Amino acid sequence: MEFLSQILTPDDVWGLEAWIDDWFFVIAIALFLIECVRYVIKKKFTKDFFGDSVANFVTLGLFILIVATVGATYAGVFIFTYEQFSLVQLPINGWTILCCIILADLAYYWEHRFLHMNGFGWATHTVHHSSPHFNISVAYRHGPMDWFFPLFFHLPLALIGFHPFVIFLAEIVVQVFQTLLHTETVKKLPRPIEAIFNTPSHHRVHHATNKQYLDKNYAGIFIIWDKMFGTFAEEKEPVNYGIYPKLNSVNPIKVFFSGYVKLCQRLWNAPSWGYRWNLLVKSPTWAWQQENK
Amino acid sequence: MNLFNSILTSIVIVVIFWACAFFQTSIAHAIQHKEVGASLELSKKANAEKVKVHKTALDNAELVNESITKIINFSGIKQRIYLEDTPQLWQRFNSDTKIHKLLKQQPKQIFVTYSALSKDFKQADVAIGYNVIELSKFDSHHTIEMHRLKRLLAKGKYSDSALTDAWKSIDYNKAIDYVLEVHDLSNGTDIESTQLFVAYK
Ligand SMILES: [Zn+2]
């Protein structure tokens, strides 16, 4: 346990984060190729699957372009907040990183739930959900503003004294864990793991359009949050992936901006200002229900 | 759980894990030092000694550069640590290639400040760094206002224990802002001489 108390420099933490970021992508690609082989064997490697996967990586490319332009500002906001307003400055070591990962995971839960609960957040997060498939490449399917909302949910961690680099590392760890869940290859894991951690099974439920699965399992690493806060559903009947209404496109540009196009269309065609307001603050399920009355 | 209770619970969870991170060293040290009840007695004695010494220290302390306001900015690493872990932080500083790459020339001095001292004087924010004029680039920096400093040790070569002993001449009745060590270097690496100062709030 001694190594957890070892004091680290911010540079060490930054290095570790960059290392995970780079190498994990390589691992993810390898896992995706294994999934592809599995689909080929099962004769499920369709044209649509291929097109969808290509679209996923193109949205990732677009997302990386956006992050490259705003990344420094994003980091700057954290560093400024930490240096000017932080309550304390917590020592940088393994224990602090562990605490930060748990809290970043809780922040992730709330951010994720927020994205599902209003039209504004959904416009960007819908991109991730709009694939009718479920594999590692879907984990990399990002919307244009996916970098924006985490800012507000993780900034409080800087205020209470976690070094920005520690926060970024924790965000990456949650992200990496989440990415691994996007697979149909793993059915169910041993019960204790399913009880505590988010698993592929739990996350399939999150991507479902089945009624009993809607707006469930927002967790990052720990499914405990969902169980505590009453947003948990167990995977029982087979999952249909996607969103309401269906996107039916593998055109990357269409996929990437689909959320905002849909939101603008809805706002344009809205019968009243009250309805427009509701489109922004109410859940996308509400909008879907209004349109299908 | 409804939304309100969920948010409330989340806040409680944040407080718990924040406290874990914040008190981690205290928890660890409490466990480590449990058996050494005697250490408490020792520190009590030391405190009594401090009070005795501070009177003479006050007489000896000279005001540095009383008439001139001189400001030195230094930049390097900073960490909240137990004072007994200071050697570890030095090790970190010495192996921090990033800051050493930024040096424009052989550094002449190293500055060390101990600020935000805990009530038991066991913990502090310790910063170690170089004068920013010797650096090509720096992010954050710490400012020393020379006119606020009271000298505890004149320039000289001191052992670690002599440096620690000099802390006894601090006036603990006053609120301490920071304690400053200035190390003069030869060849850019070897500590040739050291001065010790204190700044009160
Ligand atoms: Zn989601």
Side-chain angles (χ1 to χ4, degrees):
Chain A
M1 289 311 214
E2 190 76 357
F3 74 100
L4 286 170
S5 309
Q6 170 86 41
I7 288 177
L8 305 168
T9 65
D11 281 352
D12 292 336
V13 178
W14 180 260
L16 182 61
E17 192 215 318
W19 186 82
I20 294 176
D21 220 4
D22 294 344
W23 281 102
F24 182 74
F25 188 67
V26 176
I27 294 167
I29 296 290
L31 291 173
F32 179 61
L33 292 176
I34 294 170
E35 282 187 300
C36 287
V37 172
R38 180 176 167 270
Y39 284 125
V40 169
I41 293 168
K42 290 198 142 198
K43 300 210 163 61
K44 280 184 178 170
F45 195 95
T46 58
K47 219 174 118 188
D48 188 68
F49 171 87
F50 181 73
D52 188 76
S53 301
V54 170
N56 294 342
F57 287 112
V58 176
T59 63
L60 174 65
L62 293 170
F63 181 69
I64 288 173
L65 274 181
I66 293 174
V67 169
T69 46
V70 298
T73 315
Y74 183 90
V77 169
F78 274 87
I79 291 166
F80 182 79
T81 305
Y82 178 72
E83 282 179 351
Q84 302 295 321
F85 307 114
S86 77
L87 190 66
V88 294
Q89 299 200 331
L90 294 169
I92 302 174
N93 62 22
W95 290 114
T96 304
I97 291 171
L98 278 181
C99 289
C100 191
I101 289 172
I102 293 168
L103 294 184
D105 192 53
L106 182 63
Y108 177 90
Y109 169 89
W110 282 108
E111 182 228 333
H112 195 182
R113 188 165 163 179
F114 172 85
L115 293 178
H116 278 259
M117 282 300 109
N118 65 81
F120 195 54
W122 184 245
T124 182
H125 190 53
T126 184
V127 177
H128 177 64
H129 280 271
S130 63
S131 170
H133 302 275
F134 196 69
N135 54 70
I136 294 263
S137 75
V138 174
Y140 287 104
R141 182 174 171 121
H142 289 294
M145 295 295 273
D146 280 8
W147 57 274
F148 179 70
F149 295 99
L151 179 82
F152 302 98
F153 288 85
H154 291 88
L155 204 56
L157 293 175
L159 280 176
I160 61 174
F162 289 98
H163 190 281
F165 290 179
V166 173
I167 301 172
F168 300 156
L169 176 66
E171 281 189 74
I172 287 289
V173 170
V174 175
Q175 201 66 55
V176 157
F177 188 95
Q178 254 279 332
T179 301
L180 289 171
L181 304 176
H182 294 80
T183 182
E184 292 182 302
T185 314
V186 177
K187 296 298 169 214
K188 291 248 182 189
L189 291 169
R191 280 181 73 150
I193 295 177
E194 293 277 340
I196 298 169
F197 292 100
N198 198 5
T199 60
S201 167
H202 295 327
H203 201 58
R204 283 193 289 271
V205 165
H206 177 68
H207 275 258
T209 51
N210 312 39
K211 246 204 179 114
Q212 71 277 29
Y213 294 159
L214 283 181
D215 298 328
K216 293 289 190 293
N217 300 6
Y218 297 112
I221 296 176
F222 298 106
I223 198 68
I224 293 171
W225 310 133
D226 282 291
K227 291 187 171 175
M228 271 169 83
F229 305 142
T231 49
F232 175 71
E234 181 85 46
E235 183 187 33
K236 283 179 183 145
E237 76 173 41
V239 169
N240 298 312
Y241 306 104
I243 48 163
Y244 290 121
K246 279 199 172 80
L247 181 64
N248 285 330
S249 173
V250 293
N251 177 343
I253 302 300
K254 227 173 159 177
V255 167
F256 195 59
F257 295 106
S258 59
Y260 286 97
V261 170
K262 186 82 206 161
L263 183 64
C264 290
Q265 279 172 354
R266 279 174 165 167
L267 286 170
W268 183 258
N269 297 321
S272 67
W273 284 102
Y275 189 94
R276 286 193 180 96
W277 173 251
N278 283 338
L279 278 174
L280 289 177
V281 299
K282 285 203 171 185
S283 103
T285 315
W286 175 85
W288 169 248
Q289 282 163 351
Q290 302 307 305
E291 285 158 10
N292 290 278
K293 258 183 186 168
Chain B
M1 224 186 267
N2 65 25
L3 186 64
F4 180 76
N5 284 338
S6 299
I7 292 171
L8 216 63
T9 311
S10 297
I11 292 170
V12 173
I13 293 166
V14 170
V15 171
I16 291 171
F17 283 99
W18 175 83
C20 283
F22 186 70
F23 295 111
Q24 54 173 306
T25 31
S26 313
I27 297 166
H29 281 249
I31 295 165
Q32 271 172 28
H33 294 307
K34 219 172 192 174
E35 68 276 17
V36 201
S39 78
L40 199 75
E41 276 307 305
L42 253 158
S43 69
K44 264 188 201 159
K45 251 187 223 165
N47 264 329
E49 219 172 309
K50 272 173 202 163
V51 177
K52 248 188 266 168
V53 179
H54 100 249
K55 251 194 127 41
T56 46
L58 260 182
D59 303 336
N60 298 339
E62 55 175 300
L63 218 57
V64 180
N65 289 340
E66 203 174 1
S67 52
I68 330 154
T69 307
K70 198 179 165 200
I71 284 179
I72 291 175
N73 291 315
F74 75 95
S75 177
I77 60 171
K78 183 185 176 188
Q79 198 96 115
R80 182 152 195 89
I81 57 167
Y82 273 86
L83 293 179
E84 63 195 65
D85 296 334
T86 311
Q88 257 184 313
L89 195 66
W90 268 100
Q91 193 196 340
R92 284 277 151 192
F93 177 74
N94 289 330
S95 57
D96 191 326
T97 45
K98 195 181 149 201
I99 179 133
H100 288 93
K101 269 188 203 151
L102 295 174
L103 281 166
K104 288 187 286 191
Q105 60 200 49
Q106 271 200 353
K108 293 191 187 76
Q109 286 174 317
I110 292 179
F111 298 87
V112 186
T113 56
Y114 305 81
S115 54
L117 284 145
S118 63
K119 278 194 185 117
D120 57 2
F121 300 104
K122 283 183 176 169
Q123 267 185 302
D125 289 342
V126 181
I128 307 179
Y130 296 116
N131 194 327
V132 295
I133 56 171
E134 295 177 329
L135 299 170
S136 55
K137 208 177 87 189
F138 57 92
D139 304 328
S140 60
H141 60 81
H142 310 284
T143 302
I144 303 162
E145 295 148 304
M146 295 303 280
H147 69 283
R148 288 183 53 209
L149 299 177
K150 288 207 164 179
R151 192 191 294 276
L152 298 171
L153 279 181
K155 207 178 252 200
K157 218 167 167 55
Y158 299 100
S159 67
D160 282 351
S161 61
L163 276 174
T164 315
D165 275 351
W167 279 60
K168 286 177 189 157
S169 48
I170 292 170
D171 180 359
Y172 287 94
N173 293 326
K174 291 186 185 172
I176 300 162
D177 194 2
Y178 57 86
V179 175
L180 166 72
E181 278 171 20
V182 182
H183 301 285
D184 293 310
L185 302 174
S186 63
N187 308 323
T189 50
D190 303 327
I191 293 176
E192 205 176 46
S193 60
T194 300
Q195 302 168 75
L196 190 71
F197 303 92
V198 61
Y200 299 107
K201 276 178 187 159

